[in-house]
Amino acid sequence: MGIVEEAHNVKILGSGEQTVVLAHGFGTDQSVWKHLVPHLVDDYKIILFDNMGAGTTNPDYFDFERYSSLEGYAYDVIAILEDLKIPGCIYVGHSVSAMIGVIASIARPDLFTKLVTVSASPRYLNDSDYYGGFEQEDLDQLFEAMRSNYKAWCSGFAPLVVGGDMDSVAIQEFSRTLFNMRPDIALSVLQIIFLSDLRHLLAHVTVPCHLIQSMKDLAVPVVVSEYLHQHLGGKSIVEVISTEGHLPQLSSPDVVIPVLLRHIRHDIVV
């Protein structure tokens, strides 16, 4: 295994002809896909990896300059696919990794047959003609809370993001992976995510996109999925699912897994 694969804890499962890449969002790691993997392993080759900065990666490898924008993560995805000689993958990206996939697909559309996104947003801040869900003041308070007491912030942030029952296994799981991140890295990563604006890139996407969105998501309002649908350059389809929270593949797998499998297996019919 090469340096890139080792740094990102790349795991390859299954032996199907088609490759599915599973990319996790902020505060999690590849374990967030544990409910989906068993349903794919018999029919697909699966690539799992951890984004740099995740608690499972070596914090010494985290280059604050490289990861001062989402392009750094997109280049990592491209490097992994190139190293593994993947001709064209079905890329499933959650949250920020959905947009990392968008960036990577613009640079190298040949590496992707389609993108399946869960809880994707091109911009979190509200704008004069755009509703992202957050005001700058909201984010300033969030970042300050992270700086002052990271552990306490994790305990409060996890239930809000996951939603549902306070004692749920999903909240415990997200709290664990979130707390495993080094606080200064977590703050840097979340600032980059929440302050990014990728709306100008959407028209350049040519790879088909399947957009899956929770009906109730604190981080991403439902209208954002429709915005993506209207502005993506290639074919796209939206499915809003009757789930609550930003990590439905962890908190509501019974609802989400069948939807994900359908979008992975079937292409958009025009």
Side-chain angles (χ1 to χ4, degrees), residues 83-252:
D83 278 15
L84 298 176
K85 298 182 169 51
I86 305 300
C89 74
I90 297 168
Y91 176 95
V92 182
H94 171 240
S95 192
V96 65
S97 275
M99 301 315 297
I100 290 166
V102 161
I103 297 167
S105 79
I106 294 169
R108 290 291 305 276
D110 58 303
L111 295 175
F112 303 86
T113 57
K114 66 178 165 187
L115 306 180
V116 179
T117 72
V118 182
S119 313
S121 177
R123 177 183 166 105
Y124 292 87
L125 274 171
N126 298 330
D127 203 356
S128 55
D129 57 348
Y130 173 84
Y131 183 67
F134 293 88
E135 295 293 343
Q136 186 64 53
E137 186 182 347
D138 302 328
L139 298 183
D140 290 342
Q141 289 174 359
L142 184 147
F143 299 146
E144 186 49 47
M146 287 181 82
R147 284 191 201 96
S148 61
N149 187 331
Y150 184 66
K151 187 173 185 179
W153 175 80
C154 289
S155 299
F157 185 70
L160 289 174
V161 172
V162 176
D165 181 4
M166 283 288 287
D167 299 322
S168 74
V169 174
I171 288 175
Q172 291 170 21
E173 183 70 11
F174 183 53
S175 299
R176 179 186 66 78
T177 54
L178 191 60
F179 188 61
N180 280 345
M181 292 184 77
R182 206 173 77 186
D184 59 329
I185 292 175
L187 176 61
S188 176
V189 173
L190 200 58
Q191 286 176 322
I192 299 306
I193 293 169
F194 271 141
L195 299 176
S196 64
D197 187 352
L198 303 177
R199 291 176 296 174
H200 63 289
L201 295 180
L202 300 179
H204 301 287
V205 177
T206 56
V207 174
C209 293
H210 298 241
L211 312 165
I212 298 168
Q213 173 65 40
S214 280
M215 193 176 286
K216 185 180 178 187
D217 181 345
L218 178 86
V220 183
V222 172
V223 291
V224 172
S225 59
E226 190 55 38
Y227 181 91
L228 285 167
H229 180 49
Q230 297 295 337
H231 289 83
L232 283 162
K235 289 188 293 185
S236 65
I237 186 170
V238 179
E239 182 156 355
V240 177
I241 48 178
S242 58
T243 53
E244 179 183 345
H246 191 61
L247 294 93
Q249 73 274 40
L250 196 61
S251 58
S252 305

Side-chain angles (χ1 to χ4, degrees), residues 40-53:
L40 295 173
V41 75
D42 290 338
D43 301 316
Y44 297 93
K45 180 195 234 178
I46 305 166
I47 296 174
L48 291 154
F49 69 98
D50 295 329
N51 281 325
M52 203 51 64

